[in-house]
Amino acid sequence: MSRFLRIVLPALVIVVWLAIASVGGPYFGKISEVSTNDQTSFLPASADATTVQERSSEFRQESGAPAIIVLERDGGMSSSDLSAAKGLATQLGDRDDVESVSPVIPSADGDAVEIVATLTTAADTGDAVEAIRTDVQDALPAGVSGHVTGPAGFTADLTEAFAGIDGLLLGVALAAVFVILIVVYRSPLLPILVLGTATFALCASILVVWWLAKAGIVTVNGQVQGILSILVIGAATDYALLYTARFREALRDHRTGWGATKAAMRGSLEPILASGGTVIVGVLCLLLSDLNSNKALGPVAAIGIAFSLLAALSLLPALLLAFRRAAFWPLRPAYGSAHPVLTGPEARGVWARVGRLVAKRSRVVWIVCTVGLVAMGTGLVGLKADGVPQSDLVIGASQARDGQDVLADHFPGGSGSPAQVIGSERDLAALVDAVTAVDGVDGVVAAAKDTPSGTVPVTSDTSSAGGVAAEPTVSRGDVLLEATLSDPADSDAAEQTVRDLRTAVERVDPDAVVGGVTATAVDTNDTGIRDRTLIIPVVLVVILLILMLLLRSIVAPLVLIGSVIVSFAAALGVGALVFDHVFHFPGADPSVPLYSFVFLVALGVDYNIFLMTRVREEALRHGPHEGVLRGLGVTGRVITSAGVVLAATFAALGVIPILFLVQIAFVVAFGVLLDTIVVRSLLVPALAYDVGRRAWWPSRLSRANHDM
């Protein structure tokens, strides 16, 4: 290749990536425009709660989420307190973002009042609730406490908790990675080049995801947005470190940067593509999910990994070619300098000692590691991953949670968040009887568009009553009933009531469906449990097939998959113990084990691919046993560095006070460290050494009967 092209080609690559970053960068601040945290929007189309939500506008005026204002005074509300509450209701009714306001509803004990302010469909829930909370605080008489809760209040608290996901999360992740790279590589320039590569990959990913979400092709919420940022930064850095290690090796053997680039690309292209492809296939398995929030993460994460691969294999090589040995200053690799001794008595360093331990006590090492991991995995016995109440999603202060507690003390716990039943109008009387007979139902009304409140009282003889001023709205032969629950809408008791409601109304009308806030939680949790039961085995099979193709072996991939499964069980088991006995979390979402599995298995296999492709390369030259030791020695530092970086990036998710993300952060970060330090450094090399040439069956490498 001419000197001109050697200069122009990398420069052109850098310019193209600069252009992509300049366009995609501003979309960091715009991603919230196309994201939603409405739980119902992530349900499968077949869920009853989705059907009810889609049809609810047929029975009542279309409106936004209800905000429930509850005012309380110990010892009883005075007449002046009630007057102030009525004035507040009038003030809220004058707001442009409020569709309607209920009358002031006093509690039976006289200590509290409740006001339901239903937002308009165009209102921004977070902004509207913040303004309402300000109005409430300004209107409170001395000695009266006030809270804004209900669906709108919880959505606002959730939105506020996600507020740091654009800047804070990314800043913490980048800072942590930068410090680690400085410490490991002792070069001021190399971390900048690596993080620049990762950041440019993220810019491109967010640009594409934003437009896909804008077009309605993918759905983005706060958790998907946060995971995308962390996944791209971590994965792009990992791939960049693998290429950088190969480039540094090549600089010792090649005088020119171009020669070193070609050698580094030959050595790193296959493992990087295989690793990235494995992660892409793994996350795309989420498309099998019935839960739209899980399904949304699949293509979004795949886009992020694809751009991570592209940046690590195009932008970074161009940057390193431009800086050459200066990128590693002050520890520049000199041309013609000796490579480190990897095996034998002259080998020095941590990885040489680990290699000698593996060679001397291989069977003891892998058995001890396996027993230790299995012991950690026993914590799975106490894992509670069947869902958590909506009020516990936000870690720390939550006015909506406090307000719900006050509401439950003085009113039926489900006030403002009723279960909704759509059933046949001809069976109205029987449906009312069935609903009211269910334990946990405090009262029932029917939706009616022609009434100021939007509802009308119903009884078992409603269907035969005549001369009624307003009747339930009928649409396509159906009516909508609203059942106020005795327990808080996000409680276990309320969920059981909804399950009982479904059983009861199906006996009357097999086509009747039950929706509402509680039903949404029930359908979400049930679908999440079904998803993880289906997707986890599929991911294992798909990754196993990829490893068999890559390593040209059957035994080695089975060993790697087995090691990753044991590692995942250990990480989740320790996580369950920590969540229960250290943090005292109320439980976990069903998606926590699923997401943890997908990321830990896909990313954990990454490191095994990095290791075993190098082991295979060395084994072809030096024999199976020597190949294990040389592969371990040459990849030890780079894979450990990559693992620490990835763990740090996922740990950064913990700065967002959302229970789901904090749990994902712990399990994945701990699991990656466990996989890097124990599985990849000890268990896999020791097992491969002990199995010897049989690990590569049925390839020709398995037929070598001695080290060459």
Side-chain angles (χ1 to χ4, degrees):
M1 183 178 290
S2 69
R3 179 179 176 83
F4 175 76
L5 286 179
R6 292 179 184 179
I7 296 173
V8 170
L9 187 58
L12 182 61
V13 170
I14 294 172
V15 168
V16 169
W17 274 103
L18 282 171
I20 293 173
S22 65
V23 175
Y27 283 82
F28 274 103
K30 298 173 62 178
I31 192 71
S32 58
E33 297 176 3
V34 294
S35 65
T36 175
N37 291 307
D38 179 6
Q39 191 177 16
T40 312
S41 67
F42 296 99
L43 285 170
S46 59
D48 285 357
T50 305
T51 302
V52 172
Q53 186 200 38
E54 292 173 347
R55 293 195 59 192
S56 61
S57 61
E58 300 175 16
F59 303 95
R60 59 191 314 165
Q61 296 295 330
E62 191 170 1
S63 60
I68 302 175
I69 298 92
V70 56
L71 310 181
E72 178 191 40
R73 180 192 288 276
D74 290 336
M77 300 286 288
S78 65
S79 57
S80 61
D81 294 339
L82 294 175
S83 297
K86 291 177 182 177
L88 174 61
T90 301
Q91 180 182 351
L92 294 177
D94 293 335
R95 293 187 56 85
D96 293 336
D97 49 13
V98 173
E99 181 74 31
S100 62
V101 178
S102 74
V104 175
I105 306 170
S107 63
D109 59 13
D111 287 347
V113 297
E114 173 189 10
I115 304 169
V116 180
T118 304
L119 305 182
T120 63
T121 55
D124 180 282
T125 303
D127 293 342
V129 169
E130 182 180 359
I132 290 174
R133 284 172 173 167
T134 300
D135 290 344
V136 170
Q137 293 303 313
D138 292 343
L140 286 178
V144 175
S145 63
H147 302 84
V148 179
T149 183
F154 281 113
T155 299
D157 286 355
L158 199 62
T159 301
E160 183 180 357
F162 276 119
I165 209 159
D166 288 329
L168 177 62
L169 176 61
L170 188 60
V172 170
L174 291 175
V177 173
F178 183 77
V179 170
I180 292 170
L181 293 179
I182 286 286
V183 171
V184 172
Y185 289 97
R186 290 171 287 175
S187 168
L189 181 57
L190 185 61
I192 295 174
L193 300 181
V194 170
L195 284 182
T197 299
T199 304
F200 280 26
L202 183 57
C203 288
S205 302
I206 287 181
L207 176 63
V208 172
V209 168
W210 191 94
W211 282 105
L212 290 177
K214 182 75 171 178
I217 298 174
V218 299
T219 304
V220 177
N221 66 355
Q223 69 187 34
V224 171
Q225 182 182 344
I227 291 174
L228 172 65
S229 298
I230 291 303
L231 190 61
V232 171
I233 294 297
T237 302
D238 276 7
Y239 304 146
L241 291 180
L242 182 63
Y243 177 84
T244 299
R246 284 285 193 167
F247 185 72
R248 187 170 189 167
E249 283 184 53
L251 286 174
R252 298 180 185 274
D253 300 326
H254 298 269
R255 186 184 302 275
T256 66
W258 189 260
T261 298
K262 290 193 294 183
M265 190 64 74
R266 282 195 301 269
S268 62
L269 183 63
E270 183 182 36
I272 290 177
L273 286 178
S275 300
T278 301
V279 179
I280 288 174
V281 172
V283 296
L284 284 179
C285 288
L286 291 172
L287 289 172
L288 298 173
S289 172
D290 274 346
L291 199 61
N292 290 334
S293 56
N294 291 346
K295 189 177 296 184
L297 181 61
V300 170
I303 290 168
I305 295 298
F307 278 110
S308 298
L309 283 173
L310 188 60
L313 294 174
S314 60
L315 176 59
L316 183 67
L319 291 171
L320 290 178
L321 179 58
F323 286 94
R324 297 180 176 85
R325 289 175 173 82
F328 300 93
W329 182 87
L331 303 177
R332 303 184 185 189
Y335 170 63
S337 59
H339 290 276
V341 178
L342 301 176
T343 60
E346 296 181 0
R348 297 291 182 267
V350 173
W351 298 108
R353 291 195 293 272
V354 172
R356 284 192 284 269
L357 173 64
V358 167
K360 187 176 181 180
R361 297 282 188 269
S362 60
R363 186 162 300 176
V364 172
V365 169
W366 73 258
I367 290 176
V368 169
C369 289
T370 302
V371 170
L373 293 172
V374 170
M376 293 181 189
T378 58
L380 287 172
V381 174
L383 179 65
K384 297 177 291 185
D386 54 359
V388 295
Q390 184 184 29
S391 56
D392 289 321
L393 290 179
V394 176
I395 297 176
S398 168
Q399 186 179 141
R401 179 171 58 237
D402 297 340
Q404 180 171 278
D405 292 339
V406 174
L407 195 68
D409 288 340
H410 304 286
F411 297 92
S415 296
S417 303
Q420 299 175 320
V421 180
I422 294 179
S424 174
E425 186 266 343
R426 67 174 180 271
D427 296 321
L428 176 57
L431 285 172
V432 171
D433 284 342
V435 171
T436 54
V438 173
D439 289 338
V441 173
D442 189 76
V444 60
V445 295
K449 281 187 174 181
D450 297 331
T451 62
S453 65
T455 61
V456 62
V458 288
T459 60
S460 59
D461 61 350
T462 296
S463 59
S464 60
V468 182
E471 294 186 353
T473 298
V474 179
S475 175
R476 291 186 270 176
D478 293 329
V479 293
L480 185 149
L481 301 179
E482 294 188 346
T484 299
L485 307 183
S486 304
D487 301 291
D490 65 347
S491 64
D492 291 341
E495 292 189 4
Q496 184 57 51
T497 300
V498 165
R499 295 185 190 277
D500 293 342
L501 269 174
R502 286 176 167 168
T503 301
V505 299
E506 283 176 4
R507 293 195 187 106
V508 176
D509 178 5
D511 296 325
V513 290
V514 179
V517 173
T518 307
T520 296
V522 169
D523 290 344
T524 300
N525 292 336
D526 289 350
T527 306
I529 292 171
R530 174 263 176 200
D531 283 350
R532 75 184 186 208
T533 304
L534 168 67
I535 294 173
I536 286 177
V538 172
V539 171
L540 283 176
V541 171
V542 169
I543 292 180
L544 178 63
L545 293 176
I546 292 175
L547 288 175
M548 287 180 176
L549 292 174
L550 175 67
L551 298 178
R552 291 92 162 171
S553 167
I554 293 176
V555 177
L558 289 172
V559 169
L560 298 184
I561 285 292
S563 70
V564 171
I565 292 174
V566 174
S567 176
F568 165 71
L572 194 58
V574 171
L577 293 173
V578 171
F579 298 157
D580 193 27
H581 300 291
V582 178
F583 296 134
H584 304 291
F585 288 154
D589 187 88
S591 295
V592 169
L594 175 61
Y595 282 17
S596 299
F597 178 84
V598 170
F599 292 131
L600 278 178
V601 169
L603 296 171
V605 167
D606 261 12
Y607 300 133
N608 283 323
I609 288 175
F610 294 165
L611 169 67
M612 295 305 286
T613 52
R614 188 59 181 258
V615 167
R616 189 177 190 280
E617 178 183 329
E618 298 291 341
L620 289 170
R621 300 173 185 166
H622 305 283
H625 287 108
E626 182 71 7
V628 169
L629 302 182
R630 294 181 67 85
L632 175 62
V634 78
T635 63
R637 181 182 180 189
V638 63
I639 295 180
T640 302
S641 301
V644 172
V645 164
L646 189 64
T649 54
F650 267 95
L653 279 173
V655 304
I656 305 300
I658 301 296
L659 181 62
F660 172 88
L661 293 181
V662 170
Q663 291 174 325
I664 288 289
F666 180 88
V667 174
V668 176
F670 179 76
V672 167
L673 289 177
L674 194 65
D675 197 71
T676 303
I677 297 171
V678 177
V679 176
R680 202 280 316 162
S681 301
L682 294 169
L683 176 58
V684 170
L687 196 50
Y689 192 93
D690 193 23
V691 175
R693 58 187 175 84
R694 291 167 295 178
W696 303 103
W697 183 85
S699 71
R700 69 180 181 88
L701 189 54
S702 67
R703 295 187 289 275
N705 55 15
H706 63 278
D707 280 355
M708 291 172 274

